[in-house]
Amino acid sequence: MQNIESAQLVVDHIRLESPREGVAMYTVTYPSEQWLVKAVLAVPAGNGPFPALLYCRGGMGNVGRVNPDRIAQLASFGYVVLAPHYRGNEGGEGRDEFGGADRHDVYQADALLRQLPFVDPGRINLYGFSRGGMMALLAAVERDGFQSLIVWNGVCDLFLTYEERVDLRRMLRRVVGHPRKNREAYWMRSPVFAVERIDCPVLIIHGEQDQNVGVEHAHRLARALSRLGKRHELWLVKEAGHLFEPAQLETYTRRMFAWLAEQPVARL
């Protein structure tokens, strides 16, 4: 068992049953602002130090929950994976604000990873899926020292999400407000407007048939990065929707890790 308790930010950790041999999984509890929040931690077999993925989940509440199978799959490539549930979820304290103060749950998860003795701090990467794309991008905007950032079918512009997801408007008005009356709240949750502060390479993967997060998010993010000369790649998957089919997921996961292996170690 890895020395998890040596990280000062770990308040508690509980061993979970792992869906993959060679990957140990835990629920960890850690502080974020005044709250205690929870995350899934997956650790590959071996001594390390390992590269890491800070996995930012999609959805909210019971929609888009952290999938242990996916986390274990990612860890099986030799990466430590830490996936915050965000405050207010899975027994964590506080209230999920859909990219508001809950962004600190991601920042504290980054700090926790850097305390783990079996993690290489120069090879910590951000990974955001769906709503998690917004969370991962915000972390890259507001924190330094990441090796790279992967945005997979990710949100980058909450104004666009309000336009395209009529079914989410009631939730967004309740949690964030109306985009005309609460423009600043949407602006601060739309990292596409702040990409000048991103210093790590960005990989954008997006299914062209995605009906949950339209491919326009990928195009807007890629255009914003291009205008500023930021290092990035855009991989559009013609036949893919929001959730890739198993064969597509396997193919692009392997391509993603090959891309990660080519990225320079972060300067700390």
Side-chain angles (χ1 to χ4, degrees):
M1 184 179 294
Q2 295 286 357
N3 188 16
I4 296 170
E5 61 273 11
S6 65
Q8 293 180 350
L9 286 173
V10 174
V11 174
D12 188 23
H13 69 285
I14 301 171
R15 185 76 178 258
L16 302 174
E17 183 177 350
S18 176
R20 289 205 176 214
E21 187 175 351
V23 175
M25 297 188 69
Y26 309 85
T27 290
V28 296
T29 303
Y30 65 98
S32 178
E33 297 187 306
Q34 70 268 41
W35 310 114
L36 291 178
V37 298
K38 296 181 181 292
V40 172
L41 175 67
V43 184
N47 297 318
F50 301 104
L53 282 180
L54 175 43
Y55 182 102
C56 299
R57 57 160 283 195
M60 187 175 182
N62 290 329
V63 177
R65 297 167 71 182
V66 174
N67 183 341
D69 290 333
R70 179 60 170 163
I71 301 305
Q73 179 197 33
L74 296 171
S76 71
F77 283 84
Y79 279 67
V80 170
V81 183
L82 182 62
H85 295 299
Y86 312 137
R87 59 188 61 184
N89 295 304
E90 306 294 341
E93 298 174 348
R95 174 177 173 269
D96 191 336
E97 297 181 6
F98 209 76
D102 48 291
R103 67 183 65 192
H104 292 283
D105 306 348
V106 178
Y107 307 163
Q108 282 291 89
D110 172 41
L112 190 160
L113 277 172
R114 295 177 191 278
Q115 291 182 355
L116 294 174
F118 47 89
V119 169
D120 181 346
R123 295 189 293 163
I124 296 176
N125 303 272
L126 288 159
Y127 176 113
F129 174 74
S130 193
R131 171 262 181 102
M134 171 179 66
M135 306 297 284
L137 282 160
L138 288 169
V141 165
E142 299 188 7
R143 293 179 71 89
D144 298 322
F146 294 109
Q147 184 178 17
S148 72
L149 162 63
I150 300 102
V151 180
W152 192 312
N153 280 7
V155 171
C156 72
D157 184 341
L158 201 61
F159 291 103
L160 178 57
T161 297
Y162 189 89
E163 291 176 13
E164 66 184 6
R165 290 296 303 273
V166 175
D167 58 317
L168 293 183
R169 287 180 182 174
R170 184 176 179 180
M171 179 279 288
L172 288 170
R173 288 195 296 267
R174 174 175 56 84
V175 177
V176 184
H178 194 283
R180 288 197 297 273
K181 297 178 181 178
N182 302 86
R183 185 172 179 80
E184 184 177 352
Y186 280 77
W187 186 272
M188 68 177 285
R189 290 168 170 83
S190 299
V192 69
F193 302 117
V195 296
E196 70 277 1
R197 293 159 59 187
I198 296 177
D199 292 326
C200 63
V202 181
L203 173 60
I204 307 164
I205 305 172
H206 214 109
E208 291 190 344
Q209 307 306 314
D210 191 342
Q211 299 300 307
N212 289 17
V213 180
V215 71
E216 177 61 19
H217 283 269
H219 289 303
R220 290 188 182 188
L221 180 57
R223 287 196 297 267
L225 292 166
S226 293
R227 281 195 297 268
L228 294 165
K230 298 289 184 177
R231 295 168 292 169
H232 73 283
E233 291 188 27
L234 173 61
W235 299 354
L236 299 179
V237 187
K238 192 171 185 179
E239 302 300 326
H242 192 60
L243 298 177
F244 282 30
E245 296 296 330
Q248 295 171 327
L249 186 64
E250 180 76 19
T251 296
Y252 280 90
T253 297
R254 290 188 178 278
R255 285 190 61 190
M256 178 191 80
F257 279 111
W259 181 86
L260 282 171
E262 297 172 354
Q263 305 313 308
V265 174
R267 290 177 295 178
L268 301 177

